[in-house]
Amino acid sequence: MFHHFHDDFHKKSQGSIDEKSFNMIIDYLESKYDILPPDLYIQRFESKALTCRDICITFDDSLRCQYDIAFPILKKRNIKAFFFIYSSTLTDNPDKLELYRLFRNEKFKNIDHFYSNFFKLASLKYEKDFRKGEENFQKSNYLQDYKFYSYSDKFFRFLRDIVFNDSIYEELMNELFKNFKFDIKSASERLWMSPNQIKDLYQQGHEIGLHSHSHPFNMDNLNYDKQEKEYSTNLYFLENIIGKNKVRSMSHPCGRYNSDTLKILNNLNVIIGFGSNLKTKNTNNNLEIPREDHINILNSLKS
């Protein structure tokens, strides 16, 4: 599972990798496993013919850095991959998940500098909720499976995903945008793939799959109708780019889903879906296939 890449145009950020590191990871994977193209991976999964050597490469979030940096390397190495797209990035009102990340990266010395400003603002404006959230977080094992996250990484996500609702989180971030003079329009143009780039990936033999419309942090907390709208809207946008009945795969945003999610995806004729970590082992469910994060692989290679 890959997300962010950096080079001279795409600035280095928390968890991002460069061309050299990507090639190093692929070298390692090719030495240990057989990297299957999506068609063959799906075929072997459906026929229960996957072996312990069979893996596939996946990318989440429709990031332009994937197209600019990873795609040429895949082409050179003749590797086909899954690209999971959340479709609000194709509208005039994109979800701000990646905009928030870019803001953190470009306007602060480092991630801890951002956390310091966010925690300060949150504790000032919502002191009671913040203190209660801090207390509950320290009693929890939140994101314990994500070993590469720091204490502040986890606490920030706990506040964002559990303590504050979407409107409060957006209010806090918009205030920081204003305070640090962040240009949303300019940032959007640098962040995401265009419809033509997504179509190019598909025409080059890569698999284009669902990743919801607005990338909710907690899909499993949404009711059936809201989840259904997330995925049916996502499907509509992608079918308009690559063609009807061509979308058959997906990955769960933030690894979050429930039984309603699985029912909706089955109704949309999605035949294969991926989680966001290796917590689920040896699953036979076609919509709950575990994935390893590229950061864990890279850390193991450097240790």
Side-chain angles (χ1 to χ4, degrees), residues 40-66:
L40 183 55
Y41 188 90
I42 292 172
Q43 178 186 321
R44 290 190 182 177
F45 182 87
E46 288 188 305
S47 61
K48 302 187 186 310
L50 283 174
T51 73
C52 60
R53 285 186 56 87
D54 295 334
I55 63 170
C56 59
I57 303 296
T58 70
F59 298 85
D60 285 1
D61 295 344
S62 189
L63 298 166
R64 180 179 160 184
C65 62
Q66 297 168 359

Side-chain angles (χ1 to χ4, degrees), residues 3-228:
H3 285 86
H4 297 87
F5 294 81
H6 62 260
D7 60 7
D8 292 340
F9 179 75
H10 300 282
K11 190 175 179 182
K12 186 176 182 180
S13 62
Q14 186 183 31
S16 69
I17 60 174
D18 59 11
E19 177 181 329
K20 180 179 178 181
S21 292
F22 185 53
N23 271 309
M24 183 168 68
I25 292 172
I26 298 299
D27 286 341
Y28 166 76
L29 293 176
E30 287 186 329
S31 74
K32 299 288 185 180
Y33 305 98
D34 295 324
I35 301 176
L36 304 183
D39 283 347
L40 183 55
Y41 188 90
I42 292 172
Q43 178 186 321
R44 290 190 182 177
F45 182 87
E46 288 188 305
S47 61
K48 302 187 186 310
L50 283 174
T51 73
C52 60
R53 285 186 56 87
D54 295 334
I55 63 170
C56 59
I57 303 296
T58 70
F59 298 85
D60 285 1
D61 295 344
S62 189
L63 298 166
R64 180 179 160 184
C65 62
Q66 297 168 359
Y67 185 87
D68 291 346
I69 301 170
F71 175 40
I73 294 172
L74 295 176
K75 189 172 184 178
K76 184 176 181 179
R77 302 182 72 135
N78 194 29
I79 295 173
K80 308 302 180 187
F82 290 87
F83 286 83
F84 299 116
I85 310 296
Y86 72 96
S87 45
S88 70
T89 65
L90 304 169
T91 72
D92 292 331
N93 186 32
D95 177 77
K96 292 186 174 68
L97 172 70
E98 291 298 333
L99 287 169
Y100 294 152
R101 179 189 171 89
L102 189 66
F103 169 66
R104 297 194 300 264
N105 184 49
E106 292 190 345
K107 294 296 184 176
F108 299 89
K109 292 181 293 185
N110 52 49
I111 190 64
D112 288 322
H113 183 211
F114 164 75
Y115 288 147
S116 176
N117 279 270
F118 180 85
F119 295 155
K120 180 179 180 180
L121 180 62
S123 64
L124 285 172
K125 300 201 70 171
Y126 296 96
E127 181 179 3
K128 184 177 179 180
D129 290 337
F130 182 89
R131 299 305 172 196
K132 186 64 175 178
E134 188 173 33
E135 179 183 332
N136 290 337
F137 172 72
Q138 291 172 352
K139 295 176 182 177
S140 74
N141 292 314
Y142 192 65
L143 297 178
Q144 62 178 339
D145 296 315
Y146 295 80
K147 305 299 184 185
F148 49 85
Y149 282 161
S150 69
Y151 178 93
S152 293
D153 290 332
K154 293 176 183 178
F155 181 44
F156 167 73
R157 285 161 174 78
F158 188 82
L159 291 174
R160 181 192 69 185
D161 302 347
I162 305 298
V163 177
F164 298 138
N165 60 35
D166 291 345
S167 61
I168 291 176
Y169 176 60
E170 185 169 4
E171 173 198 334
L172 293 171
M173 292 302 296
N174 284 341
E175 186 161 337
L176 288 174
F177 279 0
K178 182 178 179 180
N179 293 345
F180 286 86
K181 297 180 173 57
F182 183 65
D183 186 342
I184 295 178
K185 183 178 179 181
S186 172
S188 297
E189 293 171 353
R190 293 178 278 126
L191 260 179
W192 293 298
M193 296 184 209
S194 68
N196 285 339
Q197 289 168 335
I198 295 169
K199 187 173 184 179
D200 185 32
L201 287 173
Y202 178 75
Q203 291 176 337
Q204 295 289 329
H206 298 279
E207 181 86 9
I208 303 300
L210 303 174
H211 199 50
S212 80
H213 181 65
S214 67
H215 202 297
F217 298 130
N218 296 305
M219 181 70 74
D220 51 329
N221 287 345
L222 301 183
N223 65 33
Y224 185 96
D225 289 342
K226 288 182 178 179
Q227 289 195 50
E228 198 279 333

